[in-house]
Amino acid sequence: MHLALIFPSHRMSTRAKATLAASFAFSSFIIWAVHYQQLREREDMFQGVIRDDARRLEKMRQREEEFRESSRKREMYEQVQNVVSSDQSNKI
């Protein structure tokens, strides 16, 4: 591509051409930087979702483990003690 297509004829001074080129380069850089920042933020948010899912799964695993432990203790106590259900205690 010839510079004459980008920069209009001889009417523009060298200083004006340099300013136009610098403005174009600076604007292009700003646009690229904004898109790059948006891409990084999107990736960070996605990683946050993955971390949240991992925390949720770990919490569910802990609750299941606590439930199994509670059930095991209940069975152990029921073997040692006489347990009356709530239906039978109302009849007494």
Side-chain angles (χ1 to χ4, degrees):
M1 180 181 272
H2 196 268
L3 289 178
L5 296 176
I6 297 174
F7 299 115
S9 69
H10 63 281
R11 293 182 187 172
M12 288 183 68
S13 69
T14 305
R15 178 180 266 170
K17 290 176 186 178
T19 302
L20 180 61
S23 298
F24 177 76
F26 183 71
S27 297
S28 297
F29 173 75
I30 293 297
I31 291 169
W32 173 83
V34 168
H35 284 287
Y36 179 75
Q37 182 181 10
Q38 288 174 342
L39 182 66
R40 295 294 309 151
E41 287 174 352
R42 190 177 309 124
E43 181 64 28
D44 290 345
M45 287 190 315
F46 180 70
Q47 292 301 320
V49 169
I50 291 174
R51 283 190 303 272
D52 289 346
D53 284 346
R55 279 189 220 118
R56 184 180 50 81
L57 290 173
E58 177 61 22
K59 196 169 197 175
M60 285 176 52
R61 188 197 63 75
Q62 287 176 351
R63 286 181 178 165
E64 288 173 1
E65 181 61 34
E66 289 171 0
F67 177 75
R68 283 193 290 273
E69 179 67 19
S70 176
S71 296
R72 186 188 65 75
K73 286 180 181 180
R74 181 182 174 130
E75 289 175 10
M76 183 179 70
Y77 292 142
E78 285 177 350
Q79 289 175 1
V80 176
Q81 300 173 359
N82 288 334
V83 178
V84 178
S85 71
S86 61
D87 291 339
Q88 292 177 352
S89 64
N90 290 339
K91 293 178 183 177
I92 298 179

